[in-house]
C-alpha cells in the first residue's frame, strides 16, 4: 500500500496548476490596493 502511494506521488510530479509568480503578483496587488485604501481613508488627517 505504501509503495503504491510513493510510486503515484513520484509519477505525479509536474508543473503546478497556477504559476507561483502569478500567486505572488495577485497577493502583492491585493496588499497594494489595501494600502492605498487605508492611506486614502486617512485623508491626510493629523495624528491624534
Amino acid at each position: 500500500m505504501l509503495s503504491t502511494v510513493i510510486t503515484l506521488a513520484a509519477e505525479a510530479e509536474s508543473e503546478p496548476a497556477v504559476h507561483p509568480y502569478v500567486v505572488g503578483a495577485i497577493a502583492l496587488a491585493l496588499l497594494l490596493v489595501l494600502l492605498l485604501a487605508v492611506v486614502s481613508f486617512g485623508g491626510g488627517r493629523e495624528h491624534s
Side-chain angles (χ1 to χ4, degrees):
M1 176 68 183
L2 185 59
S3 63
T4 305
V5 171
I6 293 172
T7 305
L8 288 174
E11 291 175 356
E13 185 177 337
S14 63
E15 291 294 319
V18 179
H19 200 278
Y21 285 147
V22 173
V23 175
I26 291 171
L28 179 62
L30 178 65
L31 290 173
L32 287 174
V33 166
L34 291 174
L35 178 65
L36 289 174
V38 167
V39 169
S40 66
F41 180 73
R45 293 181 291 172
E46 294 295 325
H47 295 286
S48 58

